[in-house]
Amino acid sequence: AQKVTQAQTEISVVEKEDVTLDCVYETRDTTYYLFWYKQPPSGELVFLIRRNSFDEQNEISGRYSWNFQKSTSSFNFTITASQVVDSAVYFCALRSNTDKLIFGTGTRLQVFP
Amino acid sequence: DTGVSQNPRHKITKRGQNVTFRCDPISEHNRLYWYRQTLGQGPEFLTYFQNEAQLEKSRLLSDRFSAERPKGSFSTLEIQRTEQGDSAMYLCASTAKATGELFFGEGSRLTVL
């Protein structure tokens, strides 16, 4: 079975705080891809990152960073020095032996000024 | 090309009516996906096409739902005899690679009264 769990339903922080969004996945496949998407209030899903199962290097892109750990089946997302514009719903997704993305239920992040 | 385009953006209909949504993918993308998203949930896979061939359909896609991609370009999703439970955001996405990220449109929101 393939599954993505985002246990944090909603997180609220004050601007400039760091925040980590958790993602735990399940798959029996050895080759798979993990994704993060952002869904702002406008509704359109915006692609943030794609990672394949053979590359466990952490990645940093500006204020965003991702920690991929196969040992714990986790692919966590950290926003450093959060800003109000980061307020959105964030989805983690998995693609393994099928051609479709399986999404988690999302984490709503609210950043207050 | 500015991305995946969906229309109408909003549709309000009475129960029992038929509705049709259209998706125009990014022009060089041969794979096209339909997802459904309800409030507070992540997108759920409905079906996908590679060129004009419909390769997979979810169990969520009852026989009242039909999707087509006749010339391998735009796609339509028709819902017959709508029910209140069909109220959701219908998302279309496209990609050029089987393992690549999906690019989503802004969605078509359906409200069934």
Side-chain angles (χ1 to χ4, degrees), chain A residues 44, chain B residues 1-8 21-29 31-34 68-77 90-95 103-108:
Chain A
E44 185 173 348
Chain B
D1 190 293
T2 56
V4 178
S5 175
Q6 292 187 245
N7 66 80
F21 300 113
R22 174 176 169 132
C23 171
D24 288 88
I26 294 172
S27 58
E28 63 268 25
H29 288 180
R31 290 169 177 260
L32 184 149
Y33 295 75
W34 285 99
E68 294 182 343
R69 195 182 183 198
K71 297 181 180 178
S73 56
F74 73 91
S75 175
T76 57
L77 177 68
Y90 290 86
L91 298 167
C92 178
S94 69
T95 186
F103 294 86
F104 282 85
E106 293 178 305
S108 293

Side-chain angles (χ1 to χ4, degrees), chain A residues 7-72:
Chain A
Q8 303 152 310
T9 305
E10 188 164 338
I11 300 174
S12 296
V13 298
V14 177
E15 217 171 11
K16 297 185 183 177
E17 283 186 29
D18 299 347
V19 58
T20 295
L21 310 180
D22 298 333
C23 172
V24 173
Y25 62 91
E26 293 177 32
T27 180
R28 293 180 180 176
D29 299 309
T30 54
T31 301
Y32 53 89
Y33 299 83
L34 296 163
F35 302 78
W36 275 95
Y37 281 83
K38 175 181 180 179
Q39 189 173 42
S42 60
E44 185 173 348
L45 282 156
V46 177
F47 166 75
L48 296 176
I49 190 171
R50 167 180 167 267
R51 222 58 188 143
N52 76 56
S53 53
F54 299 108
D55 183 2
E56 284 193 74
Q57 264 194 322
N58 291 331
E59 182 153 339
I60 298 174
S61 175
R63 296 183 299 106
Y64 294 171
S65 63
W66 290 269
N67 183 301
F68 176 27
Q69 291 198 338
K70 288 177 79 169
S71 60
T72 55

Side-chain angles (χ1 to χ4, degrees), chain B residues 7-113:
Chain B
N7 66 80
R9 294 289 313 282
H10 302 275
K11 178 73 177 178
I12 300 174
T13 191
K14 292 182 179 178
R15 189 178 54 174
Q17 298 294 304
N18 300 343
V19 296
T20 300
F21 300 113
R22 174 176 169 132
C23 171
D24 288 88
I26 294 172
S27 58
E28 63 268 25
H29 288 180
N30 62 350
R31 290 169 177 260
L32 184 149
Y33 295 75
W34 285 99
Y35 280 80
R36 181 173 70 186
Q37 186 178 22
T38 54
L39 200 62
Q41 298 298 313
E44 296 174 297
F45 171 78
L46 293 178
T47 188
Y48 92 97
F49 294 83
Q50 181 171 329
N51 300 313
E52 65 275 10
Q54 188 173 19
L55 296 186
E56 187 174 347
K57 292 194 292 186
S58 163
R59 292 172 301 170
L60 293 174
L61 217 64
S62 76
D63 55 8
R64 296 185 298 105
F65 288 70
S66 62
E68 294 182 343
R69 195 182 183 198
K71 297 181 180 178
S73 56
F74 73 91
S75 175
T76 57
L77 177 68
E78 181 183 17
I79 308 173
Q80 296 182 326
R81 305 181 303 280
T82 53
E83 301 173 355
Q84 288 184 325
D86 297 332
S87 295
M89 177 76 85
Y90 290 86
L91 298 167
C92 178
S94 69
T95 186
K97 299 189 300 184
T99 59
E101 63 271 23
L102 299 187
F103 294 86
F104 282 85
E106 293 178 305
S108 293
R109 182 171 294 284
L110 173 65
T111 301
V112 182
L113 302 176

